[in-house]
Each structure stands twice: as C-alpha cells, then as structure tokens.
C-alpha cells in the first residue's frame, strides 16, 4: 500500500471559508492563549508557566532525542512546547476532516505573529462545532469580551451548533504549601509546577453563558490493576441522547485532568455523561473528602433561545501528545457525526 500523498504546509495565512454541506459538520479549534505572552514567560518563575522544550526533553528522555527535535529543527523554549500542543491535535483533525469533508480550522486568541483574533463572525460564520481549548494561564488575564459573548449567544441560537468548552486543570490554587506539594505528588508530573492555574477565558465564557461548572484540581486517573491502561469511564448512557459515547469506554490517560465541578443541583439544565475513577493510591484533598471519581464529560442540551448544545470535555481528550486509544477515536467520530 502506498503512503498517503503529503501536501505542503502553510503558515500565517487567512482562513478560507468552508461552504455549508448538509450533514457535514464544520469544526473549529480556538486556543485561548496569547502565544507571545506564554512563550515569553520569565524562565526563573517557578509557577504558572509552561515548561520549555528543553525541560520536556530532560524529563521525557530519550523520547525527544531524535534530530527532528534538536535546536536546528525545533524550538527549544516554551514556544516549542506550545507547538507540541498544536501538533498533538493533527490526528483529531485528520479523522474529523475525513469524516466531514471539511478541514478543521485552528485559531489562536493571539498568535505567533502577534495577531489578535477574538471570537466573532470570522470564526463563527462557517463553524458548526466550536472547540474552545482553555490553556491560558489565569495570570495572563485572558477574558471573553462583551462582543464575543454576544456573538457566541447569537451563534448558539442556530439549531445544531455545538460549543465545546475545555478549561484545563487548576493545580495548587491554595496558599497552603503542604497541599500544593500533596497535589504535585498526586499527579506525579515533573513538568507541572506546584501551582499551574488554567482557564480564565473559558471561565468567563461559562459565567456569561450560565454554564454551572468550575474546573478544579489536576487529578491522576486510576488505571486497570496490573496495567498502565486507564480505568474505564463510568458512563450514564441513558442521558447520552446525542450518542456521543456510543462505543466509548475510555478517554485519554493524562497525569492531571480537571474535575468539572457542578455548581448547581439542577439536573435538567446540565447532564453528567461520564466520570473518571481517580487514583486512590496517591493522597489528594479531593479523595480525602470522600470522592472516588471526577466529572469528565458534561452536556447542556439545547433549550429556550439556545438551539445549540454546550459540552464540557478537557482538551487533552482531543490530542495524542499523551497517547491515544481506539475508544478515543470513536469519541471523535461520534462528535464528527453528531
């Protein structure tokens, strides 16, 4: 079998609008960060920054010791790590593109070249599923502006739209140094500092859109005993009216996943579709409080003036940077065919 034909890559180009095709969803990814702000962080700061590519290479040695990752071919600072995130969604983009016939558009709030793109008609006009990946550090003060909120509200009036909100973890939010150390020992990732708080932009959207969820902690999922395989999800299949989890048993293993805490008791406006067993062998305030699973997939059905759906799923589940499974690919396919 011949290898698929490779095509050239473009950079810093204007988006080419995707025409509507019945039954073919158009996906867009929106990274909420300011790429320059994140890439230019002071490396003497211990907390609330991404690791550099050099730090990634040191911790993950020898995974990134090929020539394609050296300083002649790949960025070695924080920018290199940000590019790893971009590369990690390529498998998802390929599957969705093949399924829908549309390329996945990828946007950044402020990109490498310094261009700022708020969420407006330029993003929304040819988008059916908007995936907002909340990997902006709180200290960068990224917040949704009124015009963006109004634009998203108007877009969600369109029947069949889907807004996926994906605020990442909130590690070490306390001033208690002992708790920060406990959280660090729990997830076990040497690349995550004792405090790494994400998702101000997505939090501002959740507040404006009345999504009763708060991203908390960075929890290590349990594995199947005697293996390195992530433990199966606990799925409320009777609530999954969209069929998003049909044929799905697990998501992606990642050392520090957010708990999407519900801030309401109203089970009609938002449904918990899936929760993930947490690693109980490593102490954490979350498990000390009696919790055994964390919320990992929630759905707000359409209703009232909102014709579209709102989902909450962590962005890690759309990447292959930390692995990938057939079950995860099934989840992607279900979303593409929703």
């Amino acid at each position: 079998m011949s290898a698929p034909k490779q095509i050239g890559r473009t950079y810093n180009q204007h988006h080419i609008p995707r025409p509507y095709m019945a039954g073919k969803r158009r996906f867009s990814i929106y990274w909420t960060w300011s790429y320059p702000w994140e890439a230019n962080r002071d490396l003497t700061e211990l907390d609330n920054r991404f690791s550099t590519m050099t730090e990634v290479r040191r911790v993950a040695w020898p995974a990134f010791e090929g020539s394609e990752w050296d300083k002649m071919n790949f960025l070695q600072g924080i920018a290199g790590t940000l590019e790893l995130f971009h590369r990690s969604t390529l498998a998802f983009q390929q599957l969705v593109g093949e399924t829908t016939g549309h390329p996945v558009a990828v946007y950044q709030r402020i990109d490498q070249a310094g261009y700022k793109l708020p969420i407006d008609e330029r993003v929304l006009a040819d988008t059916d599923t908007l995936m907002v990946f909340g990997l902006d550090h709180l200290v960068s003060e990224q917040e949704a502006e009124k015009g963006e909120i109004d634009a998203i509200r108007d877009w969600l009036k369109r029947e069949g739209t889907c807004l996926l909100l994906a605020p990442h973890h909130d590690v070490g939010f306390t001033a208690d140094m002992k708790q920060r150390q406990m959280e660090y020992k729990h997830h076990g990732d040497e690349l995550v500092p004792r405090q790494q708080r994400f998702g101000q932009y997505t939090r501002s959207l959740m507040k404006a859109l009345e999504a009763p969820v708060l991203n908390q902690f960075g929890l290590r999922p349990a594995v199947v005993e005697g293996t390195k395989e992530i433990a199966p999800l606990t799925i409320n299949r009777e609530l999954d009216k969209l069929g998003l989890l049909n044929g799905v048993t697990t998501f992606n293993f990642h050392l520090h996943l957010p708990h999407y805490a519900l801030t309401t008791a109203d089970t009609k406006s938002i449904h918990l579709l899936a929760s993930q067993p947490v690693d109980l062998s490593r102490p954490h305030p979350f498990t000390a409080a009696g919790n055994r699973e964390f919320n990992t997939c929630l759905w707000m059905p359409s209703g009232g003036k909102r014709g579209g759906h709102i989902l909450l799923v962590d962005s890690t589940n759309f990447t292959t940077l930390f692995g990938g499974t057939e079950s995860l690919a099934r989840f992607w396919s279900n979303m593409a065919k929703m």
Side-chain angles (χ1 to χ4, degrees), residues 160-176:
T161 51
C162 178
L163 174 65
L164 184 139
L165 298 173
H168 199 34
H169 64 238
D170 188 3
V171 169
F173 62 87
T174 176
D176 184 340

Side-chain angles (χ1 to χ4, degrees), residues 60-108:
W61 190 92
F64 293 98
E65 290 309 294
S67 60
E68 67 269 29
W69 304 110
D70 66 23
K71 63 184 179 182
M72 285 292 292
N73 294 290
F74 201 78
L75 297 163
Q76 298 298 298
I78 290 175
T81 301
L82 299 184
E83 292 303 326
L84 285 182
F85 282 104
H86 280 305
R87 292 172 70 133
S88 72
T89 66
L90 294 179
F92 169 76
Q93 293 179 52
Q94 180 178 357
L95 184 149
V96 168
E98 292 173 351
T99 302
T100 66
H102 291 295
V104 176
V106 180
Y107 303 102
Q108 299 177 91

Side-chain angles (χ1 to χ4, degrees), residues 124 127-128 130 151-158 161-163:
L124 299 172
T127 296
D128 302 305
L130 176 62
I152 292 172
R153 282 188 181 133
D154 286 342
W155 175 74
L156 281 169
K157 291 177 182 177
R158 196 174 88 205
T161 51
C162 178
L163 174 65

Side-chain angles (χ1 to χ4, degrees), residues 12-26:
N12 202 23
Q13 305 293 318
H14 289 295
H15 171 65
I16 299 175
R18 298 161 292 184
Y20 171 79
M21 296 165 55
K24 300 293 185 180
R25 302 192 69 82
R26 296 163 293 181

Side-chain angles (χ1 to χ4, degrees), residues 212 236 239 241 262-273 298-301:
N236 298 316
L239 298 177
K241 305 301 183 182
L262 285 167
T263 59
T264 180
D266 179 9
T267 58
K268 292 183 179 180
S269 64
I270 186 166
H271 303 308
L272 174 60
L273 299 186
L298 299 103
W299 167 47
M300 295 179 66

Side-chain angles (χ1 to χ4, degrees), residues 202-218:
T202 39
R203 284 183 172 183
S204 66
L205 273 185
M206 289 188 290
K207 181 179 179 181
L209 299 174
E210 298 181 332
V213 173
L214 180 65
N215 57 311
Q216 295 179 332
F217 299 119

